[in-house]
Amino acid sequence: MEPIIYMWQVSACMGVFYGFYFVLLRRLTFFTINRWYLLATLLLSVVIPLLTITVHRETAPIIMQKAVIINQVLPSAGLQINVADKQTSRTIIDWVKIAEIAYLIVTITLFIKLIVTIARFFNKLKNASITKIGGVRIIKAIGNISNGSFFNYVMLNSGELNPEEMEQVLGHEMLHVKHLHSIDRMIVRLMQVAFWFNPFIYRYAQAIEENHEFEVDDEIGRRADKGRYADMLLHLSINRQDILFNSFSKVPLKRRITMLFTKPTNHMKKVIYLLILPLVLISCLAFARFKNDIVQQEQYSVIAGIDLLGDDFKVFIDGKSYDKDIVYKISGSCIKSSEIKPVAPAKVVNGKWADAVVNIKTKKGDIVYMSEQEKENLIKERSVAFDKFYVRLHLKDNSGKPFDKAIVHKWRGASASVDIQPLDKIGFLIDGVFYNENDIRFIDPKDMDALADEVSVQMVKQGQYARGIAAVFTLHTLKKPTGAQSKAKIQKEGKLKPVAIAGKPAPDRIPAIPGNVENDLSNTVSEQNFIRKTVMNSNSPFYSRFHFDRANGKGFDVVAIKYKSNAFTSINVQPNEKAGVFIDNKFYSEDALRKFTQAQTANLERDTSEAHYEMNQKNNLPKGYFPVPTGFITK
């Protein structure tokens, strides 16, 4: 049905443009402008219905105040309802298909006829006497030939012209050649082939042909006697309808002679052509296709890590499956716990997990949706850049009462936050030295990088550190390692020598160094941020493995271990390599590590002992495994 609709839209568009010409322009003597108007609008009539105008409309995610669950009685699985088809068997005629076939038959026939006409014309030229004047070929013949032109060919009927008339006709047709009128005619003829059913295309053809003759007659009338020229037009008048060739006197004589003696239109009336712009705009609005492009505002969720998921993830709340959009609506007030489990290893596509499952447990079995105020607070929190060490946000609760949220971020994603009253103050305890908020603002960011990733926060009594201090963030700087600690330091910086696996030579790789992209086993900054945001959310497991692809077709995996809920370590490996971790001097494989719960790993700390370092160098591991440089012990 769409091709038929398009054809009718083109026809209607032509009708609008031709109507404007017929009412306002056809009596004006601006023949050249009228010529270009007709050609341009003819082509616009074909193009405008093909245009797609995209209308951008921004909508915010729907926020509901309360989730209401309605119990519905569903038909049993075995129950089937059959509806009898009342239509009797009969042959259905597809009139649309018939119309399309008929259109194609006529169009192909007209196109073949056009090709044959052109071929016959050039075939006649083989035996014709041709004289060249510049780039124009003059054909003189006696008999069945009309005075006219086609591109750079000019035909003269010597039998019906005296020398003076021949000179006049030749000058007339040379102007047609000069103005390239044959190109206009070919465009119109092709349009007639394609839109033969459209009555306006024939009106266009007539109008374009008239303007050609008016344009040439006007130019000749300025340099010759108009009366004698009009007599010649009358003498040589013919009534041959062939849009392909420029015939000397094809256009009705009365109209040509009238326009020849018409007083030139006042140039001030050219302002009428300015109306073409709103006409084109109206035509676009009427006949172009409109597409609603709904631009969704960025969605935020109280569940950390949702922004790392692609489109293909599933949501389960209290064991029941829900539409994935619910993660952007559910309120944190009803959530007891939440967990995001990607497939193992997590496949990363365009910075998103390719597949994952979100498991949510509610406090009382009820689902509560975010209020507008909760949504506003969440957007403010999620908009905080991770490169800012300290941020204090001014928020409101559901009753409209204001409160502040203080947030500290470390570059590897370690973070801590606390809700306080607007007048309360925040303190920072760094290596046992107290700093207030103003002090922190003047610390060099480079000095902040020297701080360890671990950060904690606790509410304190009034006056414990300074007046008005309600909460304190505790941090410490990286201590200069000595002895066994220096080995741990080396491991952390990614300079540990490769470990041999089961007696085989050590692989040619080292743990990734942040910001280093020297080979296929190194992370880009965006990948580092992705891993950091993934691992350092409250839902991430103790052990994670990610897969990244490179443009050269190669890929690598990243093994990440999260500990203390606010710190992690990682190493890059080949996709076919296996990794493991020493915990309390016992080696655990990947499968075993995936089964660890947050409760089991809550008391783990990094093992920086000499014994762990030596154990890392031994080859008594399962075949194909190598240890992650960092080990852990239970405190």
Side-chain angles (χ1 to χ4, degrees), residues 65 68 76 92 265 280 369 440 453 499 592:
Q65 297 295 332
V68 181
S76 62
I92 300 176
T265 305
V280 172
Y369 286 178
I440 290 296
D453 296 328
V499 180

Side-chain angles (χ1 to χ4, degrees), residues 471-510:
V472 172
F473 289 96
T474 303
L475 305 99
H476 64 271
T477 56
L478 290 168
K479 298 179 180 179
K480 185 177 180 181
T482 59
Q485 289 184 343
S486 64
K487 295 184 176 66
K489 173 67 173 176
I490 290 173
Q491 293 170 3
K492 175 169 182 173
E493 292 180 350
K495 297 177 181 178
L496 179 66
K497 293 182 179 179
V499 180
I501 301 175
K504 297 180 180 180
D508 183 19
R509 59 171 173 73
I510 60 173

Side-chain angles (χ1 to χ4, degrees), residues 507-524:
D508 183 19
R509 59 171 173 73
I510 60 173
I513 301 173
N516 179 23
V517 195
E518 295 178 355
N519 53 61
D520 289 338
L521 280 178
S522 298
N523 298 106
T524 63

